[in-house]
Amino acid sequence: MTRLLILALLTAGPALAAEWPTKPGDVPLSPEELDALAGRTLTFFDDGQAKFSAGGAYSYTYASGDAAFGTYSIAEDGSVCIAYRNGFSRCDLYVRSGERLVLIDEKGDRYPVRPE
């Protein structure tokens, strides 16, 4: 039974990648671009900031100054998964849409990143 569950989870990976609600022209970040997130802070148009630290630490600072902390990892489908200290977790897909970097969440909502 356990082997079947593990096998099901292992084979589910590629199918999950196809489920991201991308639009025509969206290009998911390459493995090299995902690795280059370490050390970067991405600012969104609502003034929220996602900070990816070397070693996998992550923080999101809201415009109000409140912050949430956790760790991030890169999933096999190219999504960025965050495990917050409060037990909440999520995965997002970062894509290039034209000249813009966009975060797509699991619900399909799109959050463009401000240009640097």
Side-chain angles (χ1 to χ4, degrees), residues 21-105:
T22 57
K23 292 184 176 182
D26 285 349
V27 179
L29 296 187
S30 69
E32 295 79 18
E33 289 173 309
L34 291 168
D35 288 341
L37 287 174
R40 289 189 62 195
T41 299
L42 304 178
T43 302
F44 296 89
F45 283 89
D46 65 357
D47 291 328
Q49 293 187 323
K51 182 175 183 178
F52 298 89
S53 298
Y58 174 86
S59 66
Y60 186 86
T61 304
Y62 298 88
S64 66
D66 291 335
F69 300 94
T71 57
Y72 77 95
S73 61
I74 309 300
E76 288 204 22
D77 69 354
S79 60
V80 178
C81 297
I82 310 296
Y84 290 96
R85 289 183 190 166
N86 65 6
F88 180 73
S89 62
R90 64 181 286 159
C91 293
D92 302 306
L93 185 69
Y94 284 90
V95 299
R96 294 239 177 252
S97 182
E99 296 296 315
R100 181 168 281 173
L101 179 61
V102 177
L103 176 153
I104 303 173
D105 69 14

